[in-house]
Amino acid sequence: MNQRKATIRPDVLEGMETSEIIDHILQHVVKSNEELQEEKSEMRKKSTDLKMFVLKKEEFGIGSIETTLEKLATEESTHKNTVEFINNHGFSESMLNPNASLLEIRTPSYERTDKATFISSGDYVRVLSVERRQWTKKTIERVIDYLPGLSRLYLTANDISSIVTGLNEITKTDVSGFTSKYNSYRDDRRISIQFHGGGTDDIEHVEEEFDAKPTRVEFKQKNSPTDAVTGAVTRNARINIPGIRAGSEELGAETVNSVASKFEEIDKKHFDVPNAPAARMTDSGMVIEGFTTLNLYESDTNQREVITDGGESESGGGQSNHADVEKAFVEALTEDIFESKRRYDFTEWREHEEYLLLDKERNEMFQVGISDRDLIVNARPGTTSVTLKDFCRVILEDFKTTYDISSRTVDFSTT
């Protein structure tokens, strides 16, 4: 029997260790040299990709999916589209071990069942599926998006590039293609470039020519003269593995685990809020015990060279030109994001410099400051990592794709 075609069933996976479950699912994309060569020459895959989605969890437990969805469907506050989706599908979650479950989603109107394995990983959940993407988007990914307590990750272009580069620590890894995009408040260009077979130099060339940054990076790994593992990573923490050469299963498992771990590590570094600005009273007065700040900044200094309508660059136009550029930035931010996004209410604290925002979906507040067209995002008491991450995603997707992210947190109580 071809193991790749073995059905993923609860009775097969139940009782396995988590690593064994992953190895079993990986068999779906294990192929001989001949099969890989045929796919390459025919430019057609002979099996669906393995997909892994890495998610942050808040009060989410493996084994709770069925009951959570049932509860959602009966709550008055649940959006009608969510209720309709739940009522039009059937759900069955089977525990495989204390840290893993298999979710089966039935779609009666199409007489099909889609399957996904949920694996707990500390503060995160890894979801694996070998269903076609057109179906994961309709079923599995909608469950992911609807479940309270789960949220997708979001990384910068530099993050995913560094993850692929870091795979060289395991074995020789090359970039084999990418998708890059550009979107900015300051012009009407909307650029999306898909480059098959392109390498690191091509990513840099596209960025120089079009200011477009990678949102998806494909890679291939070697542990001999031929490719052993092919894959791709995206900014929303999805890993695709189209193929693993037979005999390289261990490398494939190590690669998937390494990429997922890096996603989790970067998410913690960017968005965790270990020190919210809690205040306490002392004999000498009020003391702020700490703070957490995110900085959305332009890592490419060339991006700061803005051409105005008069044809002068910001750096050569004097103070009045600089003020015009700053004003245009602030107006675009308030109109395109603060006002247009129904998710946020905002109050201007200091004119054109500092704003207090309320995320109405999560009922959490945070501050946004402006410094030379960089954004400084400060957590407030009660601000969670999901709220900060969602705001950064909105900015990078809908306002300016060229931003990078850094963070700083300080605990004054220990200093």
Side-chain angles (χ1 to χ4, degrees), residues 40 157-168 171-180 193-207 213-222 227 229-234 255:
K40 191 173 183 179
N158 289 340
D159 291 333
I160 60 172
S161 295
S162 70
I163 287 173
V164 172
T165 301
L167 290 175
N168 280 288
T171 190
K172 179 174 172 52
T173 304
D174 295 313
V175 173
S176 57
F178 60 91
T179 301
S180 287
I193 297 172
Q194 194 169 18
F195 207 124
H196 295 288
T200 303
D201 290 345
D202 297 302
I203 289 179
E204 293 173 355
H205 176 71
V206 166
E207 187 171 341
K213 297 255 191 179
T215 58
R216 182 177 189 272
V217 177
E218 300 168 16
F219 63 87
K220 56 183 179 182
Q221 294 178 293
K222 298 179 183 292
D227 294 341
V229 179
T230 56
V233 298
T234 68
T255 295

